[in-house]
Amino acid sequence: AQKITQTQPGMFVQEKEAVTLDCTYDTSDPSYGLFWYKQPSSGEMIFLIYQGSYDQQNATEGRYSLNFQKARKSANLVISASQLGDSAMYFCAMREEDRDDKIIFGKGTRLHILP
Amino acid sequence: ETGVTQTPRHLVMGMTNKKSLKCEQHLGHNAMYWYKQSAKKPLELMFVYNFKEQTENNSVPSRFSPECPNSSHLFLHLHTLQPEDSALYLCASSQEGLAVAYEQYFGPGTRLTVT
């Protein structure tokens, strides 16, 4: 079974609109961390935001926020006021405490921002 | 140099060649990783080194041989590769400890083409 599921292979969004990228995860470990990475066409993976399983509040970093719904095992990334430079692949990832040397990545969502 | 660097950025090699990929991290981290990213596939973890000791070998064929001489440098030695080994090879590092909050920092990757 997949540990990280990203159901949107591709998305097209108008510039300046908000966009939500979906991510669901599967774990029985009570302690885990969730990450989002951005991969532009240059190839480098850029860390965006982190959410811990025990964090009470949703994580925010500038225009990025993580909509964490623990009971639903959902960790959607919300990008507000999208920009052309946001066009990239976005990966959701998870690290479980009992496997803390391994981050598991989803298949990614390709986001296209339209001018 | 800052962050995680990888050389070369692009490599074309024949199936009988021997080459090496190099990764260097300037972040003082104690863990380093090799990932393979093929088209339309999730990131595949290949090797993990923690304090220079290999802690993970994710069923990688022996034609890929990692080397970690110290906690700042990581190599991937390649020999007698197959065309299906063509991919983007990403190196990452992180500070491993007792928490799940440590994100991985990635290098720009080496785009490998096997002819």
Side-chain angles (χ1 to χ4, degrees):
Chain A
Q2 287 189 54
K3 288 268 190 177
I4 298 287
T5 302
Q6 294 180 254
T7 57
Q8 307 151 309
M11 287 185 71
F12 289 82
V13 173
Q14 207 67 40
E15 189 181 9
K16 299 181 184 176
E17 289 185 353
V19 57
T20 298
L21 305 180
D22 295 340
C23 174
T24 57
Y25 58 92
D26 180 30
T27 181
S28 56
D29 196 327
S31 178
Y32 53 90
L34 297 159
F35 306 81
W36 276 93
Y37 285 85
K38 172 184 179 181
Q39 187 180 38
S41 55
S42 58
E44 186 172 357
M45 296 280 280
I46 303 166
F47 167 71
L48 295 178
I49 195 167
Y50 166 80
Q51 179 84 44
S53 59
Y54 293 117
D55 292 343
Q56 295 296 313
Q57 294 190 336
N58 288 343
T60 60
E61 288 286 346
R63 293 187 299 113
Y64 304 108
S65 60
L66 203 152
N67 184 0
F68 182 45
Q69 298 189 39
K70 194 170 182 178
R72 297 176 61 183
K73 293 188 175 178
S74 165
N76 297 341
L77 176 71
V78 180
I79 306 174
S80 63
S82 57
Q83 302 170 355
L84 295 178
D86 294 333
S87 295
M89 279 290 286
Y90 288 81
F91 292 92
C92 180
M94 175 176 67
R95 178 187 295 212
E96 300 163 291
E97 187 175 73
D98 65 351
R99 292 304 312 274
D100 61 4
D101 60 352
K102 193 172 178 176
I103 291 184
I104 304 163
F105 287 83
K107 292 184 177 181
T109 295
R110 183 166 294 283
L111 177 63
H112 303 268
I113 305 299
L114 304 172
Chain B
E1 291 276 18
T2 58
V4 181
T5 58
Q6 287 186 246
T7 54
R9 294 294 308 276
H10 300 272
L11 178 63
V12 179
M13 59 186 288
M15 289 191 283
T16 59
N17 291 159
K18 287 186 180 181
K19 296 285 185 185
S20 295
L21 309 185
K22 179 183 175 182
C23 175
E24 186 173 358
Q25 60 97 0
H26 309 267
L27 300 166
H29 290 162
N30 56 19
M32 296 187 77
Y33 311 78
W34 279 117
Y35 287 89
K36 176 184 178 183
Q37 187 178 29
S38 307
K40 301 179 182 178
K41 278 186 160 184
L43 271 173
E44 300 172 65
L45 178 66
M46 300 174 72
F47 300 105
V48 180
Y49 277 83
N50 205 325
F51 291 101
K52 301 188 301 175
E53 299 296 323
Q54 189 179 120
T55 59
E56 182 97 17
N57 175 341
N58 218 18
S59 303
V60 180
S62 60
R63 57 186 183 269
F64 295 92
S65 173
E67 179 190 359
C68 188
N70 55 61
S71 57
S72 298
H73 293 85
L74 185 65
F75 295 89
L76 188 63
H77 303 300
L78 316 170
H79 66 97
T80 59
L81 294 191
Q82 304 297 312
E84 60 265 28
D85 297 323
S86 299
L88 180 68
Y89 288 84
L90 290 162
C91 173
S93 71
S94 69
Q95 184 61 37
E96 292 306 312
L98 298 177
V100 295
Y102 299 117
E103 67 270 22
Q104 293 179 0
Y105 291 83
F106 285 80
T110 295
R111 175 74 61 187
L112 173 68
T113 303
V114 181
T115 60

